[in-house]
Amino acid sequence: MAKANGTDIGLSIAGNWLSAQTDLSISMAADMLDATTKDSTGAAKEYLAGETGGTMNASGLWDPSDSANVKEIIAALKARAAVACIWGEGTGTGDIILSCQGFVSGYSING
């Protein structure tokens, strides 16, 4: 199994790597559809894989010299439009671990 240095993994939204990231997580799951019938054997439940979905969360430090990240996140949230997300090596030249279309569902700035 290949391993990656955690400092080289980042999140890109709309083609721009988010700067000053301190934390990044991803969570994915599939719905499990109950397919149990009276004919199911062994009194065991049966399931079918359903739709999949996931979330990505990122945290970072405020970088006033690179405020474009905050503006892009706010614009994506207000536009309610899907943005391209990449979760992978932050150099942009490595293997992409996951790419998807997603929505920004919130942001928080603490000071």
Side-chain angles (χ1 to χ4, degrees):
M1 171 185 253
K3 296 182 175 143
N5 182 339
T7 59
D8 291 337
I9 297 195
L11 176 63
S12 169
I13 295 180
N16 296 309
W17 290 99
L18 300 181
S19 63
Q21 291 179 57
T22 58
D23 184 52
L24 180 61
S25 65
I26 184 171
S27 175
M28 296 185 72
D31 294 335
M32 301 310 308
L33 308 175
D34 190 347
T36 308
T37 67
K38 290 182 179 183
D39 297 325
S40 296
T41 58
K45 286 191 164 276
E46 296 179 20
Y47 294 96
L48 297 173
E51 297 176 325
T52 60
T55 60
M56 293 183 191
N57 296 293
S59 300
L61 301 175
W62 174 260
D63 183 356
S65 66
D66 189 10
S67 62
N69 286 332
V70 174
K71 291 177 185 174
E72 289 170 4
I73 292 170
I74 293 170
L77 177 66
K78 288 182 176 180
R80 299 181 188 142
V83 294
C85 300
I86 299 172
W87 188 84
E89 292 187 35
T91 62
T93 59
D95 292 337
I96 294 173
I97 296 171
L98 176 68
S99 63
C100 64
Q101 291 286 315
F103 294 93
V104 176
S105 63
Y107 71 95
S108 173
I109 299 174
N110 301 314

